[in-house]
Amino acid sequence: MADNISGHPGLISEIKTQIQKKGRITFAEFMDMALYCPDKGYYVSDSVKWGANGDYLTNIYVSPVFSSLLASQLNQMWQILGCPPQFTIVEIGAGRGTLSFQIKDAIENSFHEFYKTVDFKLVDVKPPSPSIFPEKTSFHTSITQIKQNITGCIISNELIDAFPVHRTIELNGLKEIYMRYENGRFTEITGEPSTQRLNEYFDRLGIRLEYKQRAEVNLRAIDWIKSVGALLDKGFVITIDYGLPAKELFQPDRGSSLQCYYKHTMNDNPFQKIGYQDITSKVDFTSLALAGKDAGLEIAGFTTQFYFLMGLGILDELKETAELTINNLEAFKWNQGIKELMMPGGMGDDFKVLIQHKGIETPELKGFSYKDLKYTL
């Protein structure tokens, strides 16, 4: 399974210790330690994660247009809510706060009345330096630190794909794939599911895996969306991530949805560079929508990033450039960033946008005016 284990020595030692204590651990336990182990996990270390010097690019580093269009969507949401005197924007998984800071600047520049009402709250497991916080921003390490019953919008951008997942396999009944450590290697062993929730997960979807089909299950996403729904009194939840509706994600020929990233290269081996590389799994948006309903969140819309940005008028952001010259180099780069956000077979297709709402009638949001794919959920 894993002939060459590599990564943070202290973290690998802690994982081995957990396996020795229990005899075996779930993959979710391993992934949780690899990403979030205090002082050692990938997301709590001081290494650069995003951007040209990190391990991967996100939409906010590709073009500032993404954040400005999101600000436009938030302004419409504020209006739909009746222009309340306080509109709280909570970004969960905020990292260094780049998305929120860009949105704040865009709102301040373009929507002056809306700006007077916004209150930003950033949430991340690792707090950034307070010196980088702009005005009207507060930081939290957990959403439990935020007072419930907010009016506004809760945003996550590439968060849920990094929640620990259970690995399952169909063997005349659903089994879970566990990890052991033997002879210097991590090895697999199958057993009964560690929680009945894994069976319930597929039962609710009405999906039965084929014999020997493997699948990753993100139970933490279910818990997360319920906690988010409890936080919101009236408003919206925007989830931007890469993933698929369940009936596509769990097709027998799709294979594992697990992906790892290190220095802008992708691999499927989570047992190398443990603690130094990102580990992700595609989001099941159907289960996210179903669990959201349990928390009072109704579906406002679901679509690809391409269609979402088209609905928000991204083509109007393109700058005229007949040909590339030294005089219009910046305009050319600007347009290239927009094209990358929209790329078929790339960000434009891979990333999906799910918006849920609570406390209001189903709204007609601009982001879904081009094409709404919620029927696929």
Side-chain angles (χ1 to χ4, degrees):
M1 176 180 173
D3 293 319
N4 297 306
I5 300 170
S6 65
H8 190 297
L11 179 54
I12 293 172
S13 177
E14 288 202 32
I15 294 169
K16 291 178 184 177
T17 299
Q18 285 300 309
I19 293 175
Q20 289 166 355
K21 282 182 180 178
K22 299 181 178 181
R24 64 184 187 180
I25 61 172
T26 65
F27 185 81
E29 290 175 287
F30 162 79
M31 188 171 169
D32 189 45
M33 293 184 71
L35 297 180
Y36 303 105
C37 181
D39 302 320
K40 302 180 183 71
Y42 178 78
Y43 280 110
V44 293
S45 70
D46 292 326
S47 65
V48 177
K49 313 297 188 301
W50 311 274
N53 296 321
D55 296 314
Y56 53 88
L57 287 175
T58 68
N59 34 37
I60 57 177
Y61 292 101
V62 169
S63 171
V65 169
F66 180 84
S67 299
S68 65
L69 291 177
L70 206 49
S72 173
Q73 181 62 89
L74 289 164
N75 179 61
Q76 187 202 14
M77 290 173 169
W78 174 65
Q79 294 174 343
I80 288 171
L81 291 176
C83 303
Q86 179 169 318
F87 187 93
T88 302
I89 298 174
V90 182
E91 185 190 357
I92 306 178
R96 290 175 291 187
T98 304
L99 175 61
S100 285
F101 300 163
Q102 289 182 357
I103 290 174
K104 171 194 169 293
D105 290 343
I107 293 173
E108 185 176 14
N109 292 333
S110 302
F111 308 107
H112 305 298
E113 292 304 312
F114 179 34
Y115 180 73
K116 296 174 185 177
T117 73
V118 293
D119 174 31
F120 282 90
K121 298 183 184 297
L122 277 59
V123 182
D124 200 272
V125 292
K126 181 177 175 61
S129 170
S131 63
I132 68 172
F133 287 0
E135 275 186 77
K136 307 180 95 174
T137 306
S138 59
F139 189 90
H140 310 270
T141 55
S142 169
I143 62 173
T144 59
Q145 298 170 0
I146 300 174
K147 189 175 180 181
Q148 290 192 340
N149 298 321
I150 67 169
T151 294
C153 184
I154 301 169
I155 302 172
S156 70
N157 183 39
E158 287 194 74
L159 169 70
I160 297 172
D161 66 272
F163 286 169
V165 294
H166 294 260
R167 304 189 92 170
T168 64
I169 185 170
E170 175 61 36
L171 296 172
N172 296 319
L174 189 71
K175 306 297 181 183
E176 183 159 7
I177 300 170
Y178 294 87
M179 286 175 50
R180 292 195 299 189
Y181 181 75
E182 300 174 314
N183 302 318
R185 301 170 63 236
F186 288 131
T187 59
E188 291 182 350
I189 183 174
T190 58
E192 293 302 312
S194 59
T195 169
Q196 181 60 27
R197 293 180 65 195
L198 293 174
N199 288 292
E200 294 168 355
Y201 184 94
F202 288 108
D203 288 345
R204 185 167 192 181
L205 293 172
I207 288 176
R208 175 72 181 267
L209 303 179
E210 293 193 357
Y211 184 65
K212 290 190 175 181
Q213 181 183 349
R214 295 183 176 218
E216 285 78 31
V217 177
N218 192 336
L219 294 180
R220 189 169 296 185
I222 304 301
D223 299 332
W224 178 84
I225 196 66
K226 289 180 180 179
S227 65
V228 165
L231 184 64
L232 190 67
D233 176 52
K234 184 183 294 185
F236 301 87
V237 178
I238 302 177
T239 304
I240 304 163
D241 224 314
Y242 76 98
L244 295 161
K247 60 185 177 184
E248 295 181 56
L249 182 61
F250 297 117
Q251 286 181 352
D253 57 352
R254 182 167 292 280
S256 173
S257 70
L258 207 71
Q259 295 176 340
C260 306
Y261 296 89
Y262 180 77
K263 301 301 181 186
H264 300 282
T265 60
M266 187 174 69
N267 68 83
D268 60 0
N269 184 357
F271 306 112
Q272 67 180 16
K273 301 180 180 65
I274 298 171
Y276 300 143
Q277 70 171 355
D278 193 15
I279 308 173
T280 70
S281 183
K282 286 186 172 66
V283 174
D284 167 13
F285 279 99
T286 302
S287 290
L288 205 61
L290 289 172
K293 287 189 175 183
D294 297 338
L297 298 172
E298 299 297 328
I299 301 171
F302 172 72
T303 196
T304 65
Q305 180 169 291
F306 173 88
Y307 292 138
F308 185 70
L309 296 178
M310 286 291 289
L312 292 174
I314 193 170
L315 296 184
D316 295 334
E317 302 294 330
L318 289 168
K319 297 181 178 179
E320 290 189 19
T321 53
E323 59 183 18
L324 176 59
T325 68
I326 192 68
N327 295 323
N328 65 11
L329 183 59
E330 288 304 312
F332 184 81
K333 288 181 179 178
W334 177 272
N335 289 349
Q336 284 299 110
I338 290 175
K339 289 176 183 177
E340 193 169 340
L341 286 176
M342 309 285 284
M343 190 70 70
M347 279 191 171
D349 288 337
D350 291 344
F351 283 87
K352 309 299 190 301
V353 181
L354 171 67
I355 299 183
Q356 295 154 289
H357 64 94
K358 182 179 181 182
I360 56 172
E361 296 296 319
T362 301
E364 293 185 6
L365 297 175
K366 291 188 297 182
F368 302 112
S369 60
Y370 192 83
K371 192 167 189 178
D372 191 346
L373 301 173
K374 63 173 171 279
Y375 66 91
T376 64
L377 294 173

